[in-house]
Amino acid sequence: GEWGLDFRVGGREVAEGKFHDGPVSRYEATSTDIVEHVRIVTTYDMWLDEVHMSTSVASFEFEPIEGGTRFTHVEHGVFFDQFWADGPNREKGSRGLLETLGNYLAQRFPR
């Protein structure tokens, strides 16, 4: 597939790939706000086999706390086709990605 990242306000990210024998998924995002050590806001669109399935706004906020950083992820999505309207699966996928990141960071920076 295609992959690219231009991490700056107005920059775009693209990730496209095929699930083994399954569908091709495509993610296109634009960074709308980046405040170092504080916040990242993106808008993004998802396609599955070239069908535009959703548009979302996501924020990632970082707050220093004793012993580390509090991370807050908030997302609002609009699903265009009832067949793809599955917010719980989107949440499950996001949770899996964030848990993988957390495990990596815990190994890389043990307490």
Side-chain angles (χ1 to χ4, degrees):
E2 179 182 353
W3 186 87
L5 174 62
D6 179 9
F7 187 68
R8 61 187 169 92
V9 173
R12 299 201 25 96
E13 179 179 7
V14 176
E16 181 180 278
K18 183 173 178 72
F19 292 100
H20 302 289
D21 294 327
V24 173
S25 98
R26 183 172 179 85
Y27 166 89
E28 291 185 16
T30 301
S31 298
T32 58
D33 187 54
I34 301 171
V35 179
E36 188 173 357
H37 305 295
V38 176
R39 176 181 59 249
I40 301 167
V41 180
T42 64
T43 59
Y44 72 89
D45 292 278
M46 295 287 299
W47 285 265
L48 203 56
D49 280 338
E50 298 184 6
V51 174
H52 191 196
M53 58 185 281
S54 67
T55 297
S56 299
V57 176
S59 67
F60 308 89
E61 298 180 34
F62 309 92
E63 177 186 354
I65 59 173
E66 186 174 328
T69 302
R70 175 178 292 122
F71 171 74
T72 303
H73 170 221
V74 176
E75 186 165 326
H76 177 79
V78 177
F79 296 87
F80 301 131
D81 185 325
Q82 289 300 317
F83 181 73
W84 299 114
D86 68 353
N89 278 332
R90 178 71 55 88
E91 181 179 349
K92 181 180 176 184
S94 295
R95 187 176 306 280
L97 290 170
L98 293 172
E99 286 173 355
T100 299
L101 175 61
N103 291 337
Y104 169 80
L105 292 173
Q107 290 175 359
R108 180 100 163 104
F109 304 101
R111 289 184 182 197

